[in-house]
């Protein structure tokens, strides 16, 4: 595959502290602060509105306020409470050395995504960066991927998606492309198998080998 689409959170970087702290900050407004940040890991990956509704039974008005509070924290602090996984930069450079075209496809808003990539000096690896919109008009992974494919004129038959949650699998399959699930992120083998992920890898080394198979 010549065109490789990467999720960001849980795939290239570990956003645990920033995302979970921002969610907890938003929950404090409603008096629902979590006792342990680990309890909020489930917010990593899906669109925020879906998670607030699913896990805290918020209505639309509450969700709008929660997202506003989340962004108050995340936009100033949480963006940078993040870590690049060991081996990611070596993998990205190796893929470029083999003439692969690399793209970001994330449910995180584009504005935040660009700031994170620039802060961690990852932006130069990617030919294109695609994310959600702040107004929610594009938030599902399938729509982000579709926007990327259309904008870059990518043939879906020469494309692979890499992610760590079932949303990445659903988004890839909705666009008729295969998906690699990475187990070092926030998903699980059970989750990947349930959503019929095409390939599952344990670590960055396995991912790199799979992406370069046949080279």
């Amino acid at each position: 595959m010549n065109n490789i689409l990467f999720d960001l959170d849980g795939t290239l970087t570990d956003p645990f502290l920033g995302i979970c702290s921002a969610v907890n900050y938003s929950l404090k407004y409603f008096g629902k602060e979590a006792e342990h940040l680990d309890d909020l890991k489930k917010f990593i990956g899906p669109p925020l509105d879906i998670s607030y509704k699913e896990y805290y039974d918020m209505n639309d008005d509450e969700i709008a306020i929660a997202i506003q509070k989340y962004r108050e924290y995340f936009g100033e602090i949480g963006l940078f409470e993040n870590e690049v996984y060991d081996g990611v930069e070596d993998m990205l450079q190796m893929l470029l050395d083999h003439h692969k075209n690399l793209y970001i496809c994330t449910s995180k808003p584009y504005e935040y995504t660009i700031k994170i990539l620039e802060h961690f000096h990852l932006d130069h690896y990617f030919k294109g960066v695609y994310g959600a919109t702040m107004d929610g008009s594009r938030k599902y992974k399938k729509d982000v991927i579709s926007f990327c494919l259309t904008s870059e004129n990518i043939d879906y038959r020469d494309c692979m998606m890499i992610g760590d949650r079932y949303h990445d699998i659903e988004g890839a399959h909705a666009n008729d492309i295969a998906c690699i699930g990475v187990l070092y992120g926030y998903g699980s083998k059970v989750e990947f198998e349930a959503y019929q992920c095409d390939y599952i890898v344990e670590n960055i080394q396995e991912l790199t080998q799979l992406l370069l198979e046949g080279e």
Side-chain angles (χ1 to χ4, degrees), residues 129-213:
V129 176
Y130 296 87
T133 54
M134 286 288 200
D135 64 6
S137 59
R138 184 174 60 250
K139 64 182 177 181
Y140 296 111
K141 188 59 65 81
K142 67 181 179 67
D143 297 323
V144 175
I145 293 173
S146 177
F147 185 50
C148 174
L149 297 181
T150 301
S151 299
E152 300 287 345
N153 196 27
I154 297 172
D155 185 344
Y156 71 90
R157 293 165 296 188
D158 191 21
C159 190
M160 182 74 76
M161 178 72 202
I162 296 97
D164 72 313
R165 296 299 311 276
Y166 72 88
H167 309 85
D168 300 300
I169 304 167
E170 284 187 324
H173 289 172
N175 287 279
D176 296 318
I177 64 177
C179 185
I180 301 174
V182 299
L183 289 173
Y184 58 80
Y186 288 88
S188 68
K189 189 173 182 180
V190 170
E191 179 178 332
F192 294 156
E193 290 177 344
Y195 284 83
Q196 299 181 319
C197 192
D198 302 276
Y199 306 93
I200 302 173
V201 297
E202 294 276 354
N203 51 50
I204 296 287
Q205 183 179 5
E206 283 188 19
L207 176 59
T208 306
Q209 290 173 346
L210 181 56
L211 291 172
L212 293 178
E213 199 171 74

Side-chain angles (χ1 to χ4, degrees), residues 76-120:
E76 296 295 326
I77 302 171
L79 276 171
F80 311 116
E81 293 179 322
N82 204 337
E83 295 181 6
V84 180
Y85 286 120
D86 289 342
V88 160
E89 290 199 68
D90 289 340
M91 173 188 66
L92 295 176
Q93 186 58 57
M94 192 175 298
L95 293 173
L96 288 184
D97 290 344
H98 284 78
H99 310 293
K100 304 296 185 182
N101 300 312
L102 310 183
Y103 304 89
I104 292 288
C105 287
T106 174
S107 294
K108 184 182 293 300
Y110 172 82
E111 291 85 348
Y112 292 158
T113 303
I114 285 292
K115 288 182 179 179
I116 291 169
L117 293 174
E118 290 177 348
H119 179 77
F120 291 102

Side-chain angles (χ1 to χ4, degrees), residues 14-26:
D14 184 351
F16 167 75
L17 182 58
I19 288 179
C20 294
S21 295
V23 172
N24 215 27
Y25 175 86
S26 71

Side-chain angles (χ1 to χ4, degrees), residues 38-49:
D38 277 356
D39 296 336
L40 301 176
K41 282 183 178 179
K42 54 201 173 188
F43 275 81
I44 300 175
L48 285 171
D49 58 342

